[in-house]
Amino acid sequence: MRARSTELDGVADVPADGRVDARTIEPRWAGFVAGALQAVGARDGVVPALELDVSSTVPAGSGLSSSSALSVALTIAFAEAAGLALGPDAVARTALDAEVRATGVPGGLMD
């Protein structure tokens, strides 16, 4: 899986199965890609190889939960690509799992 950000530097190559320590991937934002792959995989979703262009209007590091927004967007995209139907509660919980995998920090479900 190859991911690019339109706002942040770097291109990331992440194994499609997410089998990598998401906290060590560079560029740092790509850890969220690996975390979301792992979290969707933990729900038995098999995400096909994709090329991602990541774009956001939520400024990174602004205190507006940009990492949570990214985790939710990636979770929804990967679940859909895997043919996995997740309701709103499952999306929120899977996205939280993705963010924790990416950062190692247990965040809150309401972010």
Side-chain angles (χ1 to χ4, degrees):
M1 174 130 359
R2 177 161 280 193
R4 292 175 203 79
S5 169
T6 58
E7 285 80 28
L8 302 172
D9 290 335
V11 173
D13 289 308
V14 179
D17 62 7
R19 290 188 184 199
V20 64
D21 184 347
R23 296 169 297 171
T24 64
I25 292 182
E26 292 294 332
R28 192 61 212 114
W29 60 265
F32 291 91
V33 174
L37 283 169
Q38 292 168 2
V40 169
R43 290 193 172 262
D44 296 326
V46 178
V47 181
L50 301 170
E51 292 232 1
L52 304 175
D53 287 318
V54 180
S55 179
S56 176
T57 58
V58 180
S62 65
L64 296 174
S65 298
S66 57
S67 60
S68 294
L70 177 58
S71 295
V72 169
L74 289 168
T75 295
I76 291 169
F78 292 160
E80 186 173 302
L84 190 62
L86 298 179
D89 184 65
V91 167
R93 293 184 186 287
T94 305
L96 173 60
D97 181 25
E99 189 166 5
V100 171
R101 290 171 187 263
T103 65
V105 177
L109 190 58
M110 297 303 291
D111 277 355

